Every structure is written in structure tokens, then in C-alpha cells.
Amino acid sequence: MASGGAAGARPGPPGLPPAGTVPERPVPTSGLDAFFSAVEGPTTPMLVTAVAVLDPPPGGSVAAASVQRELGERAGRLPALARRLSGGPLGLEAPHWRPVDQLDLAYHLRRAALPSPGGLPEIADLAGELLSHPLDLSQPPWRLWVVEGLAGGGLVLVAQAHHALVDGAAGLGIFAQLLLPGPAPSRQARRDPRRAAPASGPPAPRSSASGAGPGEGRQAPSALAALEALPWFLGWPGSTEVAGRRSGPFRCPRAPWNGTVSARRVVAFAHLPLAAFQAARATGATVNDVLLTTVGLALRRWLPPEATGPGSRSLSALVPVSLRPSPPAGGPLDDEPLTGNAVGCAFVPLGTDQPDPARALAAVQAATSAAVPEARALGSAFEALAALARPVLTRPLVGVAAALRLFDRLPPLANLVVSFLSLPVEGLPVLGGRLRALYPLGPVPEGLGLNVTALRTQTGLFLGISGCAERAPWVRSLADALPEALDELSRALRGW
């Protein structure tokens, strides 16, 4: 097990290379970057995490020390990893990103070891512990663990970054630059936006939605945009209708895992092969539609019977929708465009009020077809709302609300977060090994208690499930229930 100061953790060796020269001009945060900085509290670490499982080459091994040194060399050449958050006077202004003179790679690159037998449950235990502790924001907000003790040899890499620095797509992009084959990232090349794109490089991360990204034609959010979004966000009459039911925030029932969260996190992993999605895809549903329905079917096991019968209200998922343009396949992963946050929010009913799985999928399809375009259209307004948060005001308010356990009484924003990412990485050579699996993990927001994040690859979906240990201690049972729920949906569709 490992965490900051936990048993089994070993700091990185001294003498790793410094960051090198970085731009001197501070970079302002976007409204969403500032929001994720402001809402973090002791019980709600805003961490974007990826867990990579590396197999050794046939007949060989992967040396942790050499992997750590290579990661240090690559990290030192990425400008985005050499910036820290710096608040404005009295905390009333949005923070800026300020460069550091030198990265403390002994802090950022850590070593740990899995207990025997070194399987997926032990990896999940380690990830849960690491997700339970916020990063030190006096440093550039990222950390990477090189973990030994994997059964059969190989290594586990656990990368963490603050949500203010990256959203899911950006975090995967930077992680891929550190891990995947291709020339080591060059700082000077990345500072010249006019350079021609190289013909090769690691595959670029994709997300389930596209649109304009930061610096790509998006206008700065305004106070007027925030006011225009308020009716939708507060659920005023007529703001949104989806499939005959109101869709949006604060329009779902309270689930048993919703409420005030503790700091301790539990984690589980699952894998769903794409072949298992064939029956549902034949209906015209997307993989995302199928996964949302599958999550809803699996979660019914933790709902009382009256919460799924006639007249009940469906559970609702907060689904981040990327507003970044999809990069060309095989294009470069520039760390400068792929930083910060460029997301909107869709609120999608999961069809848990439907009498059978086939009807649940139809309800989810109808919901996503309306909610996702709406999230793209409201993207700038959502950022404008987020930009109103200031750490000096927001952090105490969130802390007081948590201390008074107001989230046990307030209507939930949604019942859980479900995120989607895409990166074709299976089997690629990585730092002397070969990538077996890459599990994404997202933060657990106050009041929700549960996060399911999916990474689509060539052959299937790698799922990372994180939950509040007090609210959702059963996340591993949920991971086991997902393949069963997908099979239930497939059988229902074949007989529909």
C-alpha cells in the first residue's frame, strides 16, 4: 500500500533531471479550471487518475528504476507539468498557472510495491488509497507512482493530476506522451505553434463528443451566458424536456449512495469486450448508450423495489461531454492544447424506471440524443457559471455544507458520474514492457458518492469505478454485476 507517507512508499531517487527552461508568463486558468480548484475539499480530492498495467517482455523484465528515470526525463520536457496554481489577491480572483524554476521529481515520481499476490484487487486497494489524498497544490499538481510486485512480473503505473490541470481527455493525452512509443516530447517544438505536425507519434485520445477546444475559436464566457444558463441549471419550468421527462440537474431521486461523502475511496476495475455489445449496437445504439443502460441495470441491485417499479423516477447520470475537437488519428499529442478543461455536462436518465432492459435502452437513446447536443450548446454558459466560483468563498461554503451534512438533505445534482474516453492502446510497447490494461478513474463529487469512467480501446471498455467507502463500499460487486447486466440487456434485445 502507498500514499503520501504511507508504508511501502519510497521517494524517487535524487538526481533526476530538472524541468529546464519554461515560459515566464503566468497563464490564466479557465472558468472550469478555477472551479475544480475551488470545490476541492478534504473529503473531495479532485483527481484525474489512470492506472496502467505493464507486462514484461517475453523472457525479460521491466526495471522500475530505469522506468522512473525515463519518466522523469520525459516529464521534465512537458511545460504543462512544470506549472503550479497561484491564487489572486485574497483569493477573490481566478488563479493563474505559474511556472516553477525546477520540478521536484523526487516528489512527483514515487515508488511503491503491491502486497502479495499482486493482482487486480491489490492494484484497486492501492488506487483507492491514492485517490483518498489531495495533491499538494504548492507543487505542480500531478504525481506518478511506479509500482512493483505485479503478479507475473511487470509494473503498474498510477498517474494522478488535479482536475484543474486536465480533464479526462487532456490527462490521457499527457499520460500517453509519457508512456507510449515515439520521440521524447521536445519543449522547444511545443512552444512553436506554427510547426508542422509530425507524421508519427502516439495515438491521440478521443472523446465521445466534439466541438471547439481552448484557443480554438471559443469565446470567453460572460456573465450574460451564466444568467442564460441559470434556468436550465436550477430546473425552472420549460428549461428542458427529454423524452417526456424533465432532464437536467436536480431532477433525480435520491439513491442510497447519495449524500455527504468521506475522504476514503474504494476502487474496482472491470473490462467489457466490444463483442458483448453487438446485439445492442444492432438497434442503432452507441456504445455509450449501451454502457449507460448497463450501469443503470446493474445499479438496480442496490435500489429498493419501489424505486424501480411503475411510477418511479429514473436514476440520472452526470455525463461530461468533451468540447474539444477530435484530433486526426495518429496525430501528435501536444501538451499545450491538451491541458485544462473543455467539457460540458449532460444529465442522462438511465432508464431504471423502465419495465425491461430493451425499453431502458430505448429511453437512454432518446435521452442522450437530446441531452448531449444541449450540453455542447450550453458549454460556454456552463463554464461561465463555473467561473463564478472563487476559492476564498467556495471552499468554506463547501466545507460548511459537508460539516453540516447538508448533502444528506439537499436534492442530488445527479446520482453518479459516468464518463467516456477513447484511446487505442492495448498491446503497445511501453517503457520496456507491453501495455495490458489502462483503467481510468475520476473524482467522486460531494453529494454523489460514485463515479464510473470508461476507456474504449480496440477490443473493449476498461472501466474504473471509484466510490465513497462509506456510501458505496460495494463497488467491486458493481464491477462484477456489469458483465451480467450487459448479458441481460443482450438477451432482452434478442427476444424483443
Side-chain angles (χ1 to χ4, degrees), residues 381-416:
F382 177 71
E383 182 171 347
L385 279 174
L388 299 177
R390 291 292 181 266
V392 69
L393 300 174
T394 305
R395 283 177 186 159
L397 287 174
V398 172
V400 168
L404 296 177
R405 301 191 70 87
L406 294 182
F407 294 100
D408 292 343
R409 298 186 288 274
L410 295 172
L413 177 73
N415 298 116
L416 74 159

Side-chain angles (χ1 to χ4, degrees), residues 85-387:
L85 279 170
S86 175
L90 303 178
L92 294 174
E93 294 182 0
H96 283 64
W97 293 108
R98 295 187 181 276
V100 297
D101 294 330
Q102 181 171 312
L103 277 176
D104 180 5
L105 289 180
Y107 165 79
H108 292 288
L109 293 174
R110 306 277 185 106
R111 295 268 290 280
L114 296 172
S116 180
L120 211 54
E122 289 73 36
I123 298 173
D125 287 341
L126 173 64
E129 186 177 352
L130 296 180
L131 262 65
S132 303
H133 302 279
L135 296 172
D136 179 1
L137 294 187
S138 69
Q139 299 276 356
W142 65 275
R143 194 162 55 191
L144 204 159
W145 294 82
V146 179
V147 184
E148 300 171 275
L150 180 67
L155 294 172
V156 176
L157 303 177
V158 183
Q160 295 183 292
H162 198 283
H163 212 323
L165 177 65
V166 293
D167 56 20
L172 270 183
I174 291 179
F175 194 35
Q177 287 208 37
L178 293 174
L179 297 187
L180 297 180
S186 164
R187 178 179 302 276
Q188 185 58 44
R190 296 180 187 285
R191 291 174 61 186
D192 183 2
R194 298 165 298 177
R195 66 186 175 91
S200 63
R206 297 176 180 271
S207 55
S208 58
S210 63
E216 300 286 342
R218 294 176 65 204
Q219 297 180 346
S222 65
L224 179 59
L227 290 175
E228 291 173 345
L230 274 176
W232 170 81
F233 191 79
L234 297 177
W236 292 351
S239 58
T240 305
E241 292 291 333
V242 174
R245 297 191 302 269
R246 192 169 299 282
S247 176
F250 306 111
R251 295 167 173 84
C252 58
R254 177 176 296 278
W257 56 88
N258 296 146
T260 302
V261 301
S262 70
R264 195 160 66 91
R265 297 290 176 262
V266 284
V267 163
F269 302 122
H271 181 263
L272 299 175
L274 282 182
F277 288 73
Q278 288 180 347
R281 293 292 306 278
T283 68
T286 67
V287 170
N288 294 358
D289 293 336
V290 178
L291 181 61
L292 285 166
T293 307
T294 299
V295 169
L297 290 172
L299 285 173
R300 289 168 68 112
R301 293 160 170 79
W302 286 270
L303 297 176
E306 64 271 16
T308 59
S312 64
R313 287 189 295 161
S314 173
L315 296 181
S316 177
L318 187 163
V319 180
V321 177
S322 177
L323 303 179
R324 298 181 187 276
S326 294
L333 288 171
D334 293 331
D335 73 299
E336 292 297 342
L338 285 180
T339 55
N341 291 268
V343 293
C345 282
F347 292 85
V348 180
L350 298 180
T352 56
D353 57 336
Q354 296 301 311
D356 63 72
R359 293 187 183 278
L361 177 60
V364 169
Q365 285 181 267
T368 56
S369 66
V372 171
E374 180 184 64
R376 294 173 184 162
L378 289 172
S380 62
F382 177 71
E383 182 171 347
L385 279 174

Side-chain angles (χ1 to χ4, degrees), residues 255-258 265-269 295 298-303 315 415-416 448-452 465-482:
W257 56 88
N258 296 146
R265 297 290 176 262
V266 284
V267 163
F269 302 122
V295 169
L299 285 173
R300 289 168 68 112
R301 293 160 170 79
W302 286 270
L303 297 176
L315 296 181
N415 298 116
L416 74 159
L448 275 64
L450 187 63
N451 183 304
V452 178
I465 307 170
S466 51
C468 168
E470 282 69 37
R471 292 281 174 183
W474 34 258
V475 293
R476 295 189 188 176
S477 295
L478 175 59
D480 293 337
L482 288 171

